[in-house]
Structure formats: C-alpha cells, structure tokens
Amino acid sequence: MKYVLALDQGTTSSRAIVFNREGQVVALAQREFRQIFPQPGWVEHDAREIWATQHAVALEAIEKAGGEIVAIGITNQRETTVLWDRATGQPVANAIVWQDRRTAPRCDELRKAGKAALIQKKTGLVIDAYFSGTKLQWLLDNVPGARKRAEAGELAFGTVDSWLLWNLTRGRLHGTDASNASRTLLFNLHTMDWDDELLRLLDIPRAVLPQVLPSSGLLADVETSLFEASIPIAGIAGDQQAATFGQACFAPGMAKNTYGTGCFMLMNTGATPVASRNRLLTTVGWQGPQAAHRTAYCLEGSVFMAGATVQWLRDGLQVIQSAPEVESLAAQVEDTGDVYLVPAFAGLGTPDWDGYARGTLVGMTRGTTRAHIARAALEAIALQSADVFDAMSRDSRIALKELRVDGGASRNNLLMQMQADFLGVPVVRPQVTETTALGAAYLAGLATGYWSGADEISAQWKSDRRFEPRLPEGERRAKLARWRQAVERSKGWAQRE
C-alpha cells in the first residue's frame, strides 16, 4: 500500500499522521513538548525539542502504517520564530512562540510612527506582536552578536516549517511556503516576495530569510538516513491554511474554523486579496502549480486562546484532570450564572487586537462553582469565534450559511452546539477532523499525482454531524452584547502608563 505522511507540528505537540488514498487516517503518533515561560507574557519553545519530537513521531507513524510513503507534507504552528546557525544547524536562542507578547512595545512604536496603513496594505496584516517580524528583530537585537552574524549570512531565520525543512534535508534547503511567509510582516501579498521597505522598517537583513516556495510542488527529498528512504517533501502550509485546504474550501465564500490551541476562522476569497475593513487579516491561503490550487487568498480571524483555555483549566486552575472532562463538568449546570471568562492570557486577537488585555473572570457570586467556570470557558471559545464570524460576514458581504469545523475541540458536542447557537447558523463537523494534517497531505499528494485534483478531494469530504442553532434570536443578541461588556473589562490591563 502507498500512503502520504503529514508532519503536523503544533504549539503543544508534534504529530505525524499517515493517510490513505481515501483521505482516511491509517496511523497517528503524537508527543507533547515543553512550554517555556521565562517571564509574564513570554512564551518560548526549544527548537531542538520540536525537531526531536517531530522526527520521533514520524518514525513511529511510518512503522505503524507499514507500506510505502510516497510523499511528505508539512504543516506547522505559524509565526513562531526560529533563528539558527547555518554551519552547525543549532538554534542561537529558544524559539519565540506566536503567543509571546514581548514585542508589544515595538508594535506600539510602529503604530505611533504611522506605519499601520502601509503594513496592512502590503502584508494584509495588522501590527501585532503575534507576527514573526518583530520577534525576529528582537532576536537580532538581543542575542549577542546575532545581528552582525545575520548580516554576514551566517544565521538562518524561519518559521517552524523552515526549521523542519532544514532538518529534513540536513541543511540543503532553507525555504518556506507562501502561506507561512505571509504571516511574517515582511512579505508583500501583491508581489509575492519579501519586501525591501518592510525589511528596512524592521531592520531585517535579507541574507537571513528563507527562499519562498509553492505550497504544493516537488520541493526536496528527505535525507535518506532519516527514514531509510528518499521521500519527496511536496507540500507545506501553515496550519490554518492547511486546514482550510483539508476542509475542501476551494470556492470563494467557503469558511472553516479550527479549534486547536487557538481558534482560527478562514474564508476563501479567491484569486485576489480582499482588504479588511473590520480588523481581519488578509493572508495567502496556498500557492501551487495546478489549476485546482493556484494562489488562493483568505480572510482570517485569529483567536489566541481556545483549547489552551481548557488546558489552563487543567494545568493552571486544576479543576479538571484531562481536557475531555470539561464537557461533562460544564454540562452539570444549565448556564454560567452570568459568569464570563475572557481568556486574554496572551492578549486579544480579532477583532480587538489588544496586546495588553489579560484574562478576566467576571460575574462570580458565592454560588459560582467550578462547573460554572468550565461552562464559561467553553462559551468563551464560541463567543470569541462569533465575534470573528460577524466581522467576516461584514467584510466579505457574504451571508455565511454554515461553518465547517475541525480540530481537537470540535469533537466536544456541547461546544459545537454553543457555537451554532451563538452564530445563528449551522455548524458542520466532518467525518475526518484531522483536517490540518489532511490538508498538508493533500498538497503533497497533488504535487506527486497521488490525488488527481480538487474534484477528487471535494468528493472525499463528508459530514459527521450538523449542529443546528436552537437559541432564539433575541437571547443570542443579548448574550453577545453581555460578552462584549466582559471583553471591555479585560482590555489594557497590562499597560503601564
């Protein structure tokens, strides 16, 4: 049997999933790795640990599957910034994770200097510490000798896809794909290349940057010794773009929401980038040589804390022992008792973009229990996504008729019902919820002829369950208004005048 391997490198774990021609999971392996919090608002990873866990799970999944791996696709946590030595292949510092807020003051400077419109026009992004550009600038300025070495061409920058690609090829290829490049604040959506004006603005030497590659294409062969075979790497996409591809959202106006560490809603807008008027992001969806997946653009809304909110209930508050317990605990109460949790632990993303907001729990009384807090946590995930959905409908001027969902938390039926209730439209969960990895597999399989095209992929998408909204419209509007009151109380908390 012949299969495609997807390397799914996420924020809290590395996974490897093997898919067959029907788009079904044949084998899966997963390992968590350390989250490093050097000080409040800072989040780091050890890039060596990312590679070690990713290589280990790939070997495990290949062994479980048996058969021949004909192509590898890579999908990754986006914006996380790695800087390494080209000669040794060793990182010069810990990776700065997308959730890290240390560069919020630098972002303030750029906004005050009047650069927001320029950056949005060129990159489709808002100025925020979320993106890679200011993280890379911080590393060059704060790691001893880094800037000089980068200018001399001795250091390599990349998001996690670049880091994996470098290690898979033993340093033969320093590259990234267009979807990941479009998340850096350094990439021009219109020229589809690194932008010299933006590089000067953030003081980034071009010598440190990776080559921009298509999301689907024969990119390089894996170093034979790693998997005892020479396998082509043929697909790369940032995790949210890969999930959109895996959900077969090929037509403009189709949208999906992924419930992972964060929550990310993307809508295909076709071959032309659409500028947002409601603080959404404009991003490259994917780029490839075939007609089915030539350059596609998306509108995106980013929620920083989704599954990570449940993880906080488990590890921080310790009110549950495992993530799946949150559903049964939340179901013990019929409502939150007017308790709202705003999980702004890493600031607020779309539509507020407040790097200084912090987590807020409001409305508690003596009668509040851990069940109320658990239910408020689930509601927070759905309410944040409702804010994004509203902005997307207004930006696109399309009345979105349904939302396709995926990711680990999409298996939580209570959460999905809440999501349908707060959106006022059906939420549709597919049979295969591993759509992030599946999208990477599809991109690689299309480039190698394993799948014939978009029609074959679209035919494989099948609904598992459809959640219809039950909440009366008046109650839905009141709930969203009350939520916005809670959000306002979380804003600006960490700001020091």
Side-chain angles (χ1 to χ4, degrees), residues 12 14 18 45 60 96 109 117 120 123 132 136 139 195 216 254 267 269 276 332 341 395 422 432 466 473 477 483:
T12 58
S14 296
V18 177
H45 291 156
E60 189 181 332
I96 302 181
E109 290 172 6
Q120 183 175 15
T123 69
S132 311
L136 174 56
L139 286 169
D195 187 278
S216 180
M254 295 183 75
M267 185 181 75
T269 60
S276 173
Q332 289 176 15
L341 169 64
D395 254 356
F422 299 155
V432 178
R466 189 178 178 89
E473 181 63 14
R477 289 183 180 278
W483 158 251

Side-chain angles (χ1 to χ4, degrees), residues 48 51 83-93 149 153-156 163 166-167 170-171:
R48 294 167 300 184
W51 166 241
L83 187 64
W84 67 93
D85 186 311
R86 290 182 186 272
T88 66
Q90 292 299 307
V92 299
R149 296 189 65 208
E154 296 173 15
L155 300 184
W163 173 242
W166 177 277
N167 281 283
R170 294 286 196 228

Side-chain angles (χ1 to χ4, degrees), residues 23 28 81 126 137 184 232 270:
L28 184 152
T81 301
V126 299
Q137 184 179 26
T184 59

Side-chain angles (χ1 to χ4, degrees), residues 77-248:
Q77 54 165 316
R78 305 170 304 169
E79 296 95 15
T80 294
T81 301
V82 190
L83 187 64
W84 67 93
D85 186 311
R86 290 182 186 272
T88 66
Q90 292 299 307
V92 299
N94 279 340
I96 302 181
V97 180
W98 58 272
Q99 297 164 316
D100 188 284
R101 308 307 301 171
R102 75 185 68 179
T103 62
R106 176 64 180 126
C107 293
D108 291 343
E109 290 172 6
L110 291 168
R111 270 189 294 273
K112 284 173 186 167
K115 302 300 181 183
L118 169 77
I119 286 173
Q120 183 175 15
K121 184 178 178 183
K122 289 194 174 210
T123 69
L125 308 177
V126 299
I127 297 174
D128 193 81
Y130 173 35
F131 303 107
S132 311
T134 58
K135 299 180 194 302
L136 174 56
Q137 184 179 26
W138 189 94
L139 286 169
L140 294 175
D141 288 340
N142 287 276
V143 174
R147 178 167 296 285
K148 200 170 189 179
R149 296 189 65 208
E151 288 167 353
E154 296 173 15
L155 300 184
F157 150 74
T159 42
V160 170
D161 58 308
S162 302
W163 173 242
L164 295 181
L165 193 60
W166 177 277
N167 281 283
L168 287 164
T169 62
R170 294 286 196 228
R172 281 183 287 112
L173 183 57
H174 179 212
T176 188
D177 91 297
S179 75
N180 277 292
S182 74
R183 314 295 297 189
T184 59
L185 287 178
L186 307 172
F187 184 79
N188 189 314
L189 285 182
H190 310 284
T191 65
M192 295 296 283
D193 196 8
W194 304 117
D195 187 278
D196 287 327
E197 186 178 8
L198 297 175
L199 295 179
R200 285 194 297 274
L201 184 63
L202 289 174
D203 200 13
I204 306 294
R206 190 176 266 267
V208 81
L209 299 174
Q211 175 187 351
V212 181
L213 306 164
S215 310
S216 180
L218 295 172
L219 307 177
D221 287 340
V222 167
E223 188 69 21
T224 307
S225 61
L226 290 171
F227 302 127
E228 297 182 4
S230 182
I231 307 167
I233 303 164
I236 301 177
D239 51 10
Q240 304 314 318
Q241 290 98 327
T244 311
F245 202 86
Q247 285 273 36

Side-chain angles (χ1 to χ4, degrees), residues 125-457:
L125 308 177
V126 299
I127 297 174
D128 193 81
Y130 173 35
F131 303 107
S132 311
T134 58
K135 299 180 194 302
L136 174 56
Q137 184 179 26
W138 189 94
L139 286 169
L140 294 175
D141 288 340
N142 287 276
V143 174
R147 178 167 296 285
K148 200 170 189 179
R149 296 189 65 208
E151 288 167 353
E154 296 173 15
L155 300 184
F157 150 74
T159 42
V160 170
D161 58 308
S162 302
W163 173 242
L164 295 181
L165 193 60
W166 177 277
N167 281 283
L168 287 164
T169 62
R170 294 286 196 228
R172 281 183 287 112
L173 183 57
H174 179 212
T176 188
D177 91 297
S179 75
N180 277 292
S182 74
R183 314 295 297 189
T184 59
L185 287 178
L186 307 172
F187 184 79
N188 189 314
L189 285 182
H190 310 284
T191 65
M192 295 296 283
D193 196 8
W194 304 117
D195 187 278
D196 287 327
E197 186 178 8
L198 297 175
L199 295 179
R200 285 194 297 274
L201 184 63
L202 289 174
D203 200 13
I204 306 294
R206 190 176 266 267
V208 81
L209 299 174
Q211 175 187 351
V212 181
L213 306 164
S215 310
S216 180
L218 295 172
L219 307 177
D221 287 340
V222 167
E223 188 69 21
T224 307
S225 61
L226 290 171
F227 302 127
E228 297 182 4
S230 182
I231 307 167
I233 303 164
I236 301 177
D239 51 10
Q240 304 314 318
Q241 290 98 327
T244 311
F245 202 86
Q247 285 273 36
C249 291
F250 300 138
M254 295 183 75
K256 70 88 204 175
N257 199 22
T258 297
Y259 300 79
T261 300
C263 233
F264 301 90
M265 194 180 297
L266 275 77
M267 185 181 75
N268 187 331
T269 60
T272 307
V274 173
S276 173
R277 298 175 305 279
N278 293 285
R279 308 195 82 192
L280 294 172
L281 309 176
T282 305
T283 194
V284 174
W286 47 82
Q287 182 188 40
Q290 296 188 23
H293 51 290
R294 280 199 288 260
T295 304
Y297 294 91
C298 294
L299 280 171
E300 175 177 336
S302 307
V303 171
F304 297 155
M305 297 290 290
T309 306
V310 177
Q311 208 171 31
W312 173 74
L313 290 179
R314 184 192 69 187
D315 302 337
L317 282 193
Q318 298 182 351
V319 297
I320 54 173
Q321 289 187 309
S322 66
E325 283 179 37
V326 72
E327 184 172 6
S328 58
L329 179 58
Q332 289 176 15
V333 289
E334 288 186 11
D335 56 49
T336 65
D338 201 35
V339 170
Y340 286 82
L341 169 64
V342 183
F345 302 110
L348 289 169
T350 310
D352 300 286
W353 294 108
D354 184 347
Y356 298 101
R358 287 295 177 265
T360 308
L361 190 59
V362 296
M364 289 182 292
T365 66
R366 285 286 301 274
T368 301
T369 68
R370 64 193 190 106
H372 291 103
I373 294 171
R375 193 173 185 97
L378 290 186
E379 283 197 353
I381 296 169
L383 287 162
Q384 289 176 102
S385 294
D387 284 343
V388 173
F389 189 84
D390 176 62
M392 201 161 276
S393 297
R394 284 185 284 128
D395 254 356
S396 64
R397 297 178 183 172
I398 296 170
L400 299 173
K401 293 182 172 60
E402 67 174 31
L403 183 67
R404 293 185 173 186
V405 297
D406 55 66
S410 70
R411 293 190 284 271
N412 184 317
N413 292 331
L414 178 58
L415 173 59
M416 292 301 99
Q417 186 57 54
M418 289 174 173
Q419 191 66 82
D421 287 342
F422 299 155
L423 295 181
V425 302
V427 164
V428 187
R429 183 173 62 201
Q431 289 180 5
V432 178
T433 55
E434 297 290 358
T435 50
T436 301
L438 182 58
Y442 279 153
L443 288 165
L446 283 168
T448 54
Y450 188 77
W451 286 290
S452 60
D455 289 346
E456 183 181 1
I457 289 170

